[in-house]
Amino acid sequence: MTKTLMPAAQRGGSLKRSLGLWAIVGLGLGYMTPTVIFDTFGMVAEESNNVVPLGYLVALVVMTFTAISYGKISGAIPSAGSAYTYVRESMHPNAGFMVGWVALIDYMLLPLVNCLIIRSYLEALFPGVPGVVWVVIYVVGVTGLIYLTMRGTSNLNMLLLVFSIAVMVVFVFLVIFQLNRGEGMGTIASMNPFFHSDVQATAVLSAATVVCFSFIGFDAVTMYAEEAKNPKIMPRAILLTVLIGGGIFLVTAYFTQLRFPDWEVFLIEGDNPRQFLDDSTLPLIGSGVGGGLLMAVLTAAGFCATLASGLASHASVSRMLLVMGRNNVLPKRFFGYINPKTHTPTFNIVLTGAISLLAAAFTLEQIADFINFGALIAFTFVNLSVIAWFAIRKGLRKTPKDIFNYIVMPAIGTIMTGILWAFLSGYSLAGGLTWTALGFIYLLFLTKGFRRPVASFDENQPVTGYNKVLENEGAE
């Protein structure tokens, strides 16, 4: 018998608390895609003037402060939420709407980024095939799979993640062997990847802004708050995801920088010598360290990690649009529709796939800039929401400890993310501010000029009902 969403929602089903600490950390790391370090290495090396590890270190410090804020606010508001939920609850529904609207840039473009990276891998392996062919094949395959089912993929995600990290460990050992043999910088101990005479602070901050999108995913674990075995593990899960992911990025970037001390080594001959700088340097890094075999293995690891992230991000944005549609924030007839046969929000899934087709026309650097705009806005307001919720709403500002925890720490996180936001490219600022302006106009329409409340981003009811359908579907 076919099951529909509404009866499940009416029964008040709840999300199953089945995820432990490391399962949630694994999901966050899988979303972050550790192998993305190789994809963006060329562009970041050029941007930072060959101090990629320093760019990651700066980004890691900023993300750590923001992760602490996420941990605090997720503990206080333990819903399947994200930045827009926290801002809505701690500040104002209209502010939550605007942060949610800007965050849509992240969610909508992350599947496109994964498609773009996959395209660059396959172009490197099969140079005679036009990139648009791979884009269409990938989008049709992923969209079709998610169209049919959106069951959890935690175990598969962990398997793909372990494989990817294992290949990265092998890569690092090969690089160490080659450095000891005199290749690259010819040493495994050097401060050059962090500082040299040509390092400029503005270039480093600009590079840190670029690599921020590598960390996107640690905040995504907040959506599992209602599925954690114990909600109290969420702050630790968020912080561990940032620290472990940042450690992987930092160590890998350090040894890669020693092996390839100058970004110009990635320039190739041909009609488009900047191809790999603009898209992905992973194939060239693999080939340079281990020839065709390592190039193939590293590409396979990147492919698996990117595919897992692509499935997760595609499914997540479809789910987010479903929530917004069912709450009348977006047109309910389209965005709130669930196919009664597949039990999936098919319109949202197809729309996300259609947007992903743009991977045939853009570069990784361009899309990363747009994503960083939305991410840094969300991160900034999560830090501010800690101040608003604890220091202002709860009055926790009377002791030195409270002032430090709920004002000083999130204020530092706010300032740091604000500095990185100021170093976004003019290209991303123009596009991001245009998108923000459209959101403000839409907010005026929803609220009739602020004369009525904006529709609530109530995530629990539709997500709960939808997951209950999935549980029933899996039990058949």
Side-chain angles (χ1 to χ4, degrees):
M1 180 177 178
T2 301
K3 300 177 178 64
T4 60
L5 177 66
M6 290 308 296
Q10 292 168 357
R11 288 194 300 270
S14 61
L15 293 170
K16 184 178 180 181
R17 292 196 175 278
S18 59
L19 298 177
L21 175 65
W22 293 108
I24 294 175
V25 171
L27 286 166
L29 291 174
Y31 209 101
M32 287 171 71
T33 322
T35 55
V36 76
I37 169 68
F38 300 120
D39 300 306
T40 60
F41 188 87
M43 72 173 73
V44 178
E46 180 186 16
E47 189 77 38
S48 66
N49 200 9
N50 301 310
V51 285
V52 176
L54 181 58
Y56 272 101
L57 181 60
V58 172
L60 175 58
V61 171
V62 176
M63 292 301 105
T64 299
F65 276 92
T66 301
I68 292 172
S69 289
Y70 265 100
K72 290 174 181 175
I73 198 69
S74 67
I77 307 174
S79 63
S82 187
Y84 57 80
T85 302
Y86 304 143
V87 174
R88 178 200 73 197
E89 296 294 334
S90 64
M91 296 182 185
H92 193 276
N94 290 344
F97 171 85
M98 288 305 302
V99 171
W101 177 269
V102 176
L104 273 177
I105 298 177
D106 302 354
Y107 286 96
M108 293 300 295
L109 293 185
L110 276 173
L112 192 156
V113 165
N114 289 302
C115 178
L116 199 154
I117 292 174
I118 292 290
R119 185 201 79 187
S120 66
Y121 292 165
L122 294 173
E123 282 180 334
L125 291 175
F126 306 98
V129 180
V132 66
V133 174
W134 300 122
V135 168
V136 172
I137 292 175
Y138 170 84
V139 169
V140 170
V142 169
T143 303
L145 178 62
I146 300 173
Y147 185 99
L148 295 174
T149 177
M150 287 181 68
R151 290 190 179 98
T153 57
S154 175
N155 291 336
L156 176 61
N157 172 80
M158 187 66 77
L159 180 63
L160 294 173
L161 176 65
V162 169
F163 170 70
S164 301
I165 293 177
V167 171
M168 294 175 74
V169 170
V170 172
F171 169 84
V172 168
F173 276 109
L174 285 175
V175 169
I176 292 174
F177 174 77
Q178 293 179 358
L179 291 171
N180 286 328
R181 203 170 58 186
E183 298 185 43
M185 292 196 68
T187 178
I188 61 172
S190 173
M191 288 300 296
N192 210 62
F194 293 97
F195 180 79
H196 54 74
S197 59
D198 295 325
V199 172
Q200 297 179 344
T202 54
V204 173
L205 288 172
S206 181
T209 303
V210 173
V211 303
C212 267
F213 106 100
S214 303
F215 287 85
I216 294 175
F218 83 85
D219 58 319
V221 303
T222 58
M223 73 174 65
Y224 303 112
E226 295 177 32
E227 296 166 273
K229 292 179 179 179
N230 184 347
K232 293 181 180 180
I233 70 175
M234 290 308 300
R236 276 191 297 156
I238 294 168
L239 188 58
L240 281 172
T241 300
V242 169
L243 294 178
I244 294 174
I248 293 172
F249 290 141
L250 196 56
V251 171
T252 307
Y254 173 76
F255 284 105
T256 305
Q257 189 72 82
L258 289 176
R259 180 60 181 81
F260 302 98
D262 190 346
W263 65 268
E264 291 187 357
V265 71
F266 297 117
L267 293 178
I268 60 174
E269 299 294 333
D271 296 333
N272 183 12
R274 295 188 53 79
Q275 175 188 350
F276 287 101
L277 282 180
D278 290 339
D279 287 337
S280 171
T281 41
L282 181 145
L284 287 180
I285 290 173
S287 178
V289 172
L293 178 60
L294 183 61
M295 173 184 169
V297 173
L298 196 61
T299 300
F303 190 96
C304 288
T306 306
L307 179 60
S309 179
L311 288 167
S313 60
H314 196 130
S316 294
V317 69
S318 302
R319 176 173 169 175
M320 178 179 177
L321 292 172
L322 170 67
V323 171
M324 296 171 73
R326 291 188 63 81
N327 285 275
N328 290 306
V329 174
L330 294 174
K332 185 174 183 178
R333 180 166 301 209
F334 183 93
F335 293 96
Y337 173 77
I338 292 180
N339 189 305
K341 293 183 178 179
T342 63
H343 303 295
T344 58
T346 50
F347 292 163
N348 298 340
I349 292 168
V350 173
L351 174 62
T352 303
I355 293 173
S356 297
L357 289 173
L358 294 174
F362 288 90
T363 67
L364 180 58
E365 184 174 16
Q366 291 171 329
I367 301 303
D369 277 345
F370 278 126
I371 288 177
N372 287 335
F373 179 91
L376 290 174
I377 290 294
F379 294 163
T380 298
F381 275 89
V382 166
N383 283 302
L384 290 174
S385 70
V386 172
I387 299 174
W389 180 266
F390 292 100
I392 298 176
R393 285 183 177 265
K394 300 300 181 182
L396 298 176
R397 56 181 184 273
K398 297 179 176 63
T399 68
K401 181 180 179 181
D402 286 344
I403 292 173
F404 178 77
N405 285 331
Y406 304 124
I407 297 177
V408 175
M409 288 286 284
I412 292 174
T414 301
I415 293 169
M416 286 183 169
T417 52
I419 290 173
L420 293 186
W421 188 86
F423 280 88
L424 287 169
S425 70
Y427 175 79
S428 63
L429 284 173
L433 291 175
T434 300
W435 177 253
T436 303
L438 291 174
F440 185 75
I441 294 171
Y442 185 49
L443 177 62
L444 288 175
F445 170 77
L446 286 176
T447 60
K448 302 296 183 183
F450 300 118
R451 291 194 297 271
R452 71 179 189 185
V454 67
S456 172
F457 282 101
D458 182 7
E459 297 169 355
N460 297 331
Q461 186 273 329
V463 173
T464 297
Y466 184 51
N467 276 273
K468 186 67 177 178
V469 170
L470 295 184
E471 291 176 14
N472 293 336
E473 182 190 23
E476 289 181 337

